[in-house]
């Protein structure tokens, strides 16, 4: 074991503070990474504040962060994919059983025995896993992906969660040219959803509660922008969408969006608000519409997404912050005030 600098919260109501955590020395299949940038996902906030206590209670101290890019510093003897000095990235998963049908099919995100990057039992240390708000991390090679060298690293970090979480369901539901696609909520996930829907050739419509984001939505690739609190603007789109991706982090009325789907249209929830959402079943029955959910993506698809981003030069629009500003960044996330992802410059941790 060795010590690594990190930022943690001590309870659901504590601010982040500097700390030291224990990391394992790399074993034969491990990759040790010096973390250069880590994105701030709204899931980090949900978990730091124990908002998902019903499904995933937070164990404190908690070190969040699952949008990690960095440089390899050491590899285990059996690692062939990476060598010291390589760029490398880690997302939400750091382990799975590797033997179940889901793992064999490349769907590690559905493995019953996966290990998440933070706030999950850590079989190596006996404690919980610690995420990317840290100077380094040690991860099994299968869960480490390659970063295309042309991508800006601060903007590439959010691809590891916001990117794959929006890319995967859009691929699954066939988002392509000729389809009308809605993206609800222009935050970290939503803005990546817009970039991908646009890159896939779909007619892309952004639904936002923030009128001030309209110009940005168009710049990011939207064909139309709807202010979702305006009922007249919403009504114009009734029954017209093939697919809607809902990336809202708070309570909201999803029925308003279900009614915008055409026959057999689908609304996929990637946003994970704290409380259950009410669904009016008539909206589903009429039009044989469906709602579903989607978690992140598997490792092969995550690499595919990164390669797609490399080819199309897609990164997240980021506000780079030092780790010392993380508490402030969380307050801004709660006000939907992020353009469009915070990316922590981990060099700032050196001064702690
Ligand atoms: P974010 O950056 O905070 O963006 C959320 C956006 O939702 C806001 O920017 C805002 O967009 C909209 N919004 C906020 N409050 C709202 C309200 N009361 N009513 C309507 N819209 C509201 O968050 P994020 O990091 O993108 O994450 C979004 C959600 O996805 C979170 O719940 C997160 O936990 C979840 N998530 C899920 C997965 C998965 O695997 N499924 C992965 C990552 C994250 P406008 O200003 O445009 O309205
Ligand atoms: Zn995330």
């Amino acid at each position: 074991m060795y010590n690594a600098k990190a930022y943690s919260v001590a309870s659901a109501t504590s601010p982040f503070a500097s700390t030291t955590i224990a990391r394992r020395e790399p074993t034969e299949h491990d990759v040790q990474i010096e973390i250069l940038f880590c994105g701030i996902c709204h899931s980090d906030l949900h978990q730091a504040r124990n908002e998902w206590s019903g499904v995933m209670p937070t164990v404190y101290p908690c070190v969040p962060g699952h949008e990690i890019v960095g440089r390899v510093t050491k590899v285990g003897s059996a690692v062939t994919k990476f060598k010291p000095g390589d760029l490398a990235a880690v997302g939400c998963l750091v382990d799975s059983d590797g033997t179940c049908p889901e793992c064999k099919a490349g769907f590690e995100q559905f493995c019953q025995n996966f290990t998440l990057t933070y706030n999950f039992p850590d079989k190596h240390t006996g404690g919980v896993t610690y995420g990317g708000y840290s100077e380094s991390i040690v991860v099994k090679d299968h869960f480490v992906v390659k970063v295309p060298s042309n991508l800006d690293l601060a903007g590439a970090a959010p691809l590891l969660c916001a990117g794959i979480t929006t890319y995967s369901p859009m691929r699954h539901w066939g988002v392509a040219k000729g389809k009308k696609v809605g993206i609800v909520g222009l935050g970290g996930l939503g803005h990546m959803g817009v970039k991908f829907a646009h890159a896939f050739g779909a007619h892309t419509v952004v639904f936002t509660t923030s009128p001030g984001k309209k110009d940005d939505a168009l710049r990011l690739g939207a064909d139309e922008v709807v202010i979702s609190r305006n009922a007249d603007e919403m009504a114009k789109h009734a029954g017209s969408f093939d697919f809607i991706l809902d990336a809202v982090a708070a309570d909201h009325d999803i029925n308003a969006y279900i009614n915008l789907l055409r026959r057999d249209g689908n609304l996929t929830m990637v946003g994970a608000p704290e409380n259950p959402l009410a669904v009016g079943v008539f909206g589903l029955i009429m039009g044989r519409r469906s709602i579903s959910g989607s978690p992140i993506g598997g490792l092969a698809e995550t690499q595919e997404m990164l390669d797609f981003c490399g080819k199309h030069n897609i990164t997240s629009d980021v506000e780079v912050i030092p780790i010392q500003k993380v508490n402030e960044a969380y307050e801004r996330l709660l006000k939907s005030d992020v353009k469009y992802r915070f990316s922590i410059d981990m060099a700032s941790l050196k001064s702690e």
Side-chain angles (χ1 to χ4, degrees), residues 191-257:
H191 95 290
M192 289 312 306
V194 175
K195 290 189 184 207
F196 287 130
H198 176 73
F200 297 158
H203 183 86
T204 307
V205 182
V206 166
F207 294 93
T208 180
T209 59
S210 308
K213 292 181 182 174
K214 191 169 179 175
D215 289 345
D216 282 346
L218 295 169
R219 176 181 56 77
L220 292 164
D223 297 289
E224 297 179 63
V225 183
V226 174
I227 306 304
S228 53
R229 293 197 167 123
N230 182 324
D232 293 340
E233 277 191 53
M234 292 288 280
K236 281 186 204 148
H237 292 271
S240 67
F241 281 87
D242 297 284
F243 178 74
I244 296 177
L245 190 76
D246 185 327
V248 174
D251 289 347
H252 61 293
D253 176 20
I254 62 167
N255 300 296
Y257 298 100

Side-chain angles (χ1 to χ4, degrees), residues 41 43 66 92 161 341:
C41 179
S43 302
H66 56 209
C92 301
C161 178
R341 196 60 143 186

Side-chain angles (χ1 to χ4, degrees), residues 26 49 79 82 98-99 107 110 143 158 166 184 208 210 214 229 241-242 295 304 314 336 341 350:
R49 300 189 178 179
V79 175
F82 294 97
T99 55
F107 294 127
F110 301 118
F143 296 87
T166 51
V184 188
T208 180
S210 308
K214 191 169 179 175
R229 293 197 167 123
F241 281 87
D242 297 284
E304 175 193 307
I314 293 174
S336 304
R341 196 60 143 186
K350 292 189 200 304

Side-chain angles (χ1 to χ4, degrees), residues 41-44 66-67 92 118 161-162 165 189 296 341:
C41 179
H42 207 113
S43 302
D44 299 349
H66 56 209
E67 296 185 331
C92 301
Y118 64 86
C161 178
T165 302
L189 266 60
I296 49 172
R341 196 60 143 186

